[in-house]
Amino acid sequence: MRKKLSDLNIASKDDFVAALANVFEHSPWVAEAVAAMRPFAGVASLFAAMKAVVEGASDETRLKLVKAHPDLANKTQRAAGLTAESTAEQDGVGLDRLSDAEYEAFERANNAYRTKFGFPYIVCVRRHTRDSILRDFERRLLNDASAEMRRSIEEVCRVAALRVDQLVASEDKLAVHGRLSTHVLDTHSGKPAAGIAVELTELSELGEARVVGRAITNSDGRTDQPLIGGRPVPIGRYELTFHVGGYFADRGVTLSDPPFLDRIPLQFAVSDPEGHLHVPLLVTPWSYATYRGS
């Protein structure tokens, strides 16, 4: 349950630290350091103070913070027990149900990274898909140790920002959410297309594709809620499938058997997790078009 910032501002130090102890993985010392800085005007100032404590810590302390994080998709660590936050984050991107090929790829990447740098690879998994994490591994293995430590702390802070967003309710908001939306226009009738089933699938090179959202368009041709919203839109490749054959048949449009267009798949990629990507469909029984909206 999210706690109001106003309540945290007046809580005892012990209660304040307990509420925010694992914003930074196994590192309650960050919450302890900012407890005396209260009251905070908003969640942005609270997180800025926590981030400043981490960035101002000694090299040794920051290394301990990085080493407090688990390897990604590590079966042994998972069996031994991860923090609830790490478990939810890894499960959310599907790291608990990888294919054999994906597990092997993650194991190779983890081992190569630890061998080179001596600490675990850290990435804010809620901003990524499985494929984009593996590509990020490859790019970052080219860094030197000092550059990679800086990048690791950046990722630690991204993870922490999302945890603060989940834990603390405040009038202001952290800029940690993106949005993916769609809109279907029936250009045959010149009206929004209501009642079209839409399916969003995350594509993968090594594993199986994963359906991550389903919706039905409303009277405005839009979905009642974004296909992805209230969180980052993970970097990766996707396919949106629009079930248009039944829609036109239900409206008495004369169609071939089988219809020329029944299901329309649109493949696209996401590169900005905190951005707004709009993928509309303009459709007739015989043609369709799309574009990148925002």
Side-chain angles (χ1 to χ4, degrees), residues 37-247:
M37 302 178 191
R38 293 177 292 170
F40 293 102
V43 69
S45 59
L46 166 63
F47 177 69
M50 300 183 84
K51 183 178 179 182
V53 167
V54 170
E55 292 176 339
S58 67
D59 291 346
E60 180 183 2
T61 299
R62 282 184 285 142
L63 179 59
K64 287 180 180 178
L65 171 59
V66 169
K67 287 185 173 181
H69 289 72
D71 287 332
L72 295 184
N74 185 297
K75 293 181 179 180
T76 302
Q77 289 179 340
R78 181 175 289 273
L82 304 179
T83 64
E85 291 84 357
S86 287
T87 298
E89 288 157 359
Q90 292 202 26
D91 290 358
V93 76
L95 298 185
D96 59 328
R97 47 192 183 278
L98 299 176
S99 68
D100 289 343
E102 287 173 318
Y103 267 121
E104 291 172 4
F106 271 92
E107 184 175 11
R108 286 195 302 270
N110 277 320
N111 290 340
Y113 188 95
R114 274 191 176 273
T115 297
K116 180 171 182 178
F117 298 114
F119 49 80
Y121 164 84
I122 299 174
V123 71
C124 183
V125 295
R126 293 178 64 197
R127 302 178 74 249
H128 287 268
T129 58
R130 296 160 294 173
D131 281 12
S132 69
I133 292 172
L134 289 171
R135 288 195 298 273
D136 188 64
F137 256 122
E138 293 175 0
R139 288 190 295 267
R140 288 170 58 183
L141 275 167
L142 301 176
N143 288 340
D144 60 30
S146 60
E148 194 52 28
M149 176 54 69
R150 289 193 298 272
R151 178 61 185 275
S152 296
I153 292 298
E154 289 175 5
E155 293 296 327
V156 165
C157 289
R158 283 174 166 162
V159 171
L162 283 162
R163 291 182 181 181
V164 168
D165 177 70
Q166 289 183 318
L167 287 170
V168 182
S170 176
E171 290 185 3
D172 67 327
K173 305 294 181 186
L174 295 175
V176 294
H177 295 169
R179 185 168 59 161
L180 172 61
S181 59
T182 190
H183 181 202
V184 185
L185 179 64
D186 175 358
T187 53
H188 178 62
S189 67
K191 297 178 180 179
I196 289 185
V198 180
E199 187 174 82
L200 177 66
T201 302
E202 176 193 314
L203 303 177
S204 176
E205 295 179 3
L206 291 178
E208 295 182 358
R210 183 167 68 115
V211 176
V212 293
R214 291 186 175 92
I216 305 291
T217 56
N218 57 27
S219 60
D220 193 35
R222 304 176 187 272
T223 56
D224 290 337
Q225 302 295 328
L227 295 168
I228 297 178
R231 61 185 178 94
V233 182
I235 297 167
R237 298 180 304 109
Y238 296 86
E239 182 174 280
L240 259 179
T241 303
F242 299 85
H243 298 250
V244 301
Y247 164 83

